[in-house]
Amino acid sequence: MKDKLTERQKEILNHIQNFIAENGFPPTLREIASHFGLASTFGVKRHLDALKKKGYLKVESFASRAISLNKKSFSEIEFEKSGYDSKTISIPVVGRVAAGSPILSEENLEGMIAIDSNFFKHNKNCFALKVSGDSMINAGIFDGDLVIVSPNEKVSQHDIVVARVDDEITVKNYEKKDDKIFLIPQNKKYEPITVTQKNNFYLVGKVIGVLRWFN
Amino acid sequence: MKDKLTERQKEILNHIQNFIAENGFPPTLREIASHFGLASTFGVKRHLDALKKKGYLKVESFASRAISLNKKSFSEIEFEKSGYDSKTISIPVVGRVAAGSPILSEENLEGMIAIDSNFFKHNKNCFALKVSGDSMINAGIFDGDLVIVSPNEKVSQHDIVVARVDDEITVKNYEKKDDKIFLIPQNKKYEPITVTQKNNFYLVGKVIGVLRWFN
DNA sequence: AAATATAGTGCGCTAATGTTCACTTGTCAA
DNA sequence: TTGACAAGTGAACATTAGCGCACTATATTT
């Protein structure tokens, strides 16, 4: 009841959020007023007071642009108290793999990443590997992405896998035909790799996820 | 030009970042000065001018607290601090958003994911949203992917954002031209959305990451 | 009809905050 | 040594921006 906003208040709150997103800092009363074609800052102030009272904003007194959005309007609170119980599983992140070295040696380690077990129903030996190269762009795996790899998991036809061919680590689609193994890139620029007896071939694991950061 | 920062400039920049993270808005010159025990605001101003010139932040003239961070300033500074604390941060995962409902209401909650803070240098209000539709495939975002969203972070031209247009939640590239806002899909099958005054437009946040599971 | 809540106007006041200038100090390299 | 440069001081000064009052208007409720 108390938290209910009027139409105008919603508009104001909405505009403040957009302003911050666009500018990186909050607007002044006058800027808000002028955006709505208002002539006086007093009305705006009353709206802010209302929004503050209802818990959507914090406003420092006697300070300029000192509006901050309250988490309440976003997330946290509701989840925090809903007693969400879940374990997280930590997996190591592996960067560029030095040719010849075991993938999971310390020198390749770059950090850890933890993922909620609800989303992660695989075995505990998983790790994440930083992809270099664009041979899988059509599968939505870009240079620099982290692929999450589950070793000792059954690999089926057409799965995306991480494999080692003669000390070279690659991410490709897996295909087996008449006892021959093919590693298929998802980019016209590259040719499929045919694995022969002469190659030192090792199926590292199955790619079960992809994680990418925009920086 | 040399983009290299002096020690002092790094300290200042770092403090500004922390201040914004804690308060939700940037500090004034005097607040910065007093944090460092300085008696004059002039020195601070010169530091800001330098940081601006070197491209780490933007500062509006004759406006209070009008400092905004440039992307560049993330990576570099946090870099040095990383390694100290490696907590994991939990963020909620949001599934299909019922039209009209606040994104982060319980009915939309699907779980939590936790991510190592070393890989996650953004604010704590972040959440993950399940994408439906293929309008961003050329940006490597597929149907069913989880995009990780940072609300109340400065959105720049061409950033991938989550926006609400008239109760419809979409993920698109953000573009602003002459006061007009365009939401650009990354798939030839779709047309850009032009946001007009008549639309109820709300910039939910910036997409800072993508997570995909193969199941 | 009267009361109440929401919205907005105009205007002046004052505190908050950015800007500028002249001068000092310490470091580093030519 | 001299000169360039980062850093800081102190004291105005100029502009921005929050605050508050009296008054108006329009719904909705009592």
Side-chain angles (χ1 to χ4, degrees), chain A residues 183-195:
Chain A
L183 298 174
I184 320 279
Q186 295 299 317
N187 183 341
K188 283 154 272 167
K189 296 197 314 199
Y190 299 92
E191 293 298 318
I193 298 171
T194 305
V195 180

Side-chain angles (χ1 to χ4, degrees), chain B residues 70-84:
Chain B
N70 262 347
K71 312 182 180 178
K72 200 172 163 187
S73 54
F74 276 101
S75 46
E76 178 132 345
I77 297 296
E78 304 279 354
F79 187 176
E80 299 173 9
K81 302 203 309 184
S82 74
Y84 287 112

